Amino acid sequence: MNLRKASMSAAAALALALTATACGGDSDSGSDGDSLTIGIKFDQPGLGLKTPDGKYEGFDVDVATYIAKEMGVKAGDITWKEAPSADRENLISNGDVDFIAATYSITPERKEKVSFAGPYLMAHQDLLVRKDDDSVGSEKALRDSKLKLCSVTGSTSAQNVKKDVAPKADLLEYGGYSECLTGLENKAVDALTTDDSILAGYAAQKAHQGKFKLAGLSLSDEPYGVGIKKGDTKLQKQINDAITKMVDDGSWKKAADKHFGPANYEYDDAPKITETS
C-alpha cells in the first residue's frame, strides 16, 4: 500500500514538472540558450531589411543579434519574424516572438500591454519630402499646412501628426513605409512622416538617392526599446546588460556608423537605459 502511494506521488510530481516545463513562466522566461524568434521590420533600409537573397540587415538586426549572442544564441539559430507596427503587441502577447527590435518607440500606452528593455537608440520624428520641395521649413508651417501626409498604421508618428504636429493635414495611413514612399514619388502624397532614422535609410537607398530629402524638423523624441512580454524582468535584465556591453565595447557605434553613415544621418549618442522594472 505504501509503495503504491509512493508510486502515485512520484507520477503526480512528474506530471506537474512536465506541465510546468511545457507552459513556462510568464514573468521570468529568459532564454534557453538554444534558439530565439525575434521580431524585426522587413522593409526598413538601415534598420530592419529583408534583402532579395533572403538575408537580414540593419541596425536593429545588429542590436538583436548582439543581444542573442549574449544570451548564448548563435546568429544561425535566430528565426527572424516580420513585425509590422500594428502587430507588435499581439506578436509579443501571443508568444509568437521572444522579443521585438523593430523601431519600437517606448510609450506609456504600449507599456500597458508589453514591457520594454533599453532604449538602444533615440530617434526623432521628421518629414521626408521631394528634393525640390521647400514648402515645409518649420514646425509652424507644418502646423498650418493642409498637406497630404503619409504614415504607417500603428506607428507613434501617425498619432503625433493628427494630435500635435499637423492637425489640419490630410493623413493617409498605409500598411508599410514602402507604400508611403511610392505615394511620395508619384506625388499622391506630399510627405512621408516617421522617425528620422527610418527616413534617412530610405533616402540613402541607391534607387532613391537624389529624389528625396529630410525636412530637418525634430518633432518628437522616439526612444527605441526592445519589446518583451509584460512583466518579464529576467529577460529585461538580460537585454539591458547586453545593450550596455554593446555600447561599452564599441560594437554599438560600429553598427550605427555602418548603417547610418551612408545616409549622413547624425544619430544621437546611445541613450541611457531607463526600462529596469
Side-chain angles (χ1 to χ4, degrees):
M1 185 69 175
N2 290 337
L3 179 61
R4 183 169 180 270
K5 287 183 177 179
S7 298
M8 292 176 64
S9 297
L14 178 60
L16 286 172
L18 290 173
T19 301
T21 301
C23 295
D26 288 341
S27 61
D28 250 352
S29 63
S31 167
D32 60 9
D34 296 325
S35 63
L36 286 169
T37 299
I38 303 174
I40 58 169
K41 292 296 179 65
F42 279 13
D43 65 344
Q44 290 182 354
L47 288 154
L49 183 69
K50 183 177 182 180
T51 64
D53 59 358
K55 296 181 179 179
Y56 303 90
E57 61 183 28
F59 184 71
D60 285 356
V61 176
D62 283 1
V63 170
T65 302
Y66 191 100
I67 292 169
K69 175 179 69 71
E70 291 301 303
M71 295 170 65
V73 177
K74 298 177 181 178
D77 293 325
I78 298 172
T79 297
W80 300 105
K81 189 173 183 66
E82 186 172 17
S85 295
D87 296 341
R88 289 176 296 201
E89 284 83 24
N90 286 336
L91 287 171
I92 293 170
S93 299
N94 294 338
D96 296 324
V97 294
D98 292 293
F99 62 81
I100 287 180
T103 59
Y104 202 2
S105 299
I106 301 169
T107 68
E109 293 77 16
R110 287 171 176 165
K111 287 172 68 172
E112 292 179 3
K113 300 179 181 179
V114 300
S115 291
F116 288 92
Y120 61 89
L121 183 72
M122 182 65 75
H124 308 279
Q125 187 172 352
D126 199 354
L127 299 180
L128 189 71
V129 297
R130 290 179 288 275
K131 188 177 181 180
D132 59 353
D133 187 354
D134 295 318
S135 61
V136 183
S138 67
E139 289 189 42
K140 185 179 185 303
L142 179 59
R143 177 170 290 278
D144 295 337
S145 74
K146 296 182 179 180
L147 297 175
K148 288 185 178 180
L149 301 180
C150 187
S151 194
V152 170
T153 303
S155 70
T156 55
S157 300
Q159 300 164 20
N160 290 341
V161 164
K162 293 303 292 182
K163 181 180 178 182
D164 302 317
V165 177
K168 298 180 181 179
D170 182 11
L171 176 66
L172 302 177
E173 295 184 63
Y174 291 162
Y177 292 109
S178 297
E179 298 172 60
C180 286
L181 200 66
T182 298
L184 179 60
E185 188 170 7
N186 296 337
K187 297 186 178 182
V189 298
D190 299 306
L192 162 57
T193 181
T194 189
D195 306 341
D196 52 7
S197 58
I198 299 172
L199 298 176
Y202 282 120
Q205 282 188 301
K206 289 184 179 180
H208 301 141
Q209 287 178 1
K211 296 181 180 179
F212 310 111
K213 65 180 180 180
L214 272 72
L217 306 177
S218 184
L219 302 173
S220 67
D221 291 336
E222 302 294 337
Y224 289 173
V226 178
I228 58 177
K229 197 165 187 179
K230 190 167 180 62
D232 194 338
T233 55
K234 180 180 178 181
L235 182 56
Q236 182 185 62
K237 184 178 187 306
Q238 285 180 302
I239 295 174
N240 282 341
D241 289 347
I243 293 171
T244 299
K245 184 176 179 180
M246 187 179 187
V247 173
D248 290 345
D249 70 13
S251 298
W252 185 94
K253 187 178 188 307
K254 183 178 179 181
D257 287 342
K258 174 185 176 183
H259 296 294
F260 299 139
N264 295 317
Y265 172 54
E266 297 182 4
Y267 59 86
D268 291 3
D269 291 337
K272 181 181 178 182
I273 298 291
T274 60
E275 303 305 302
T276 57
S277 61

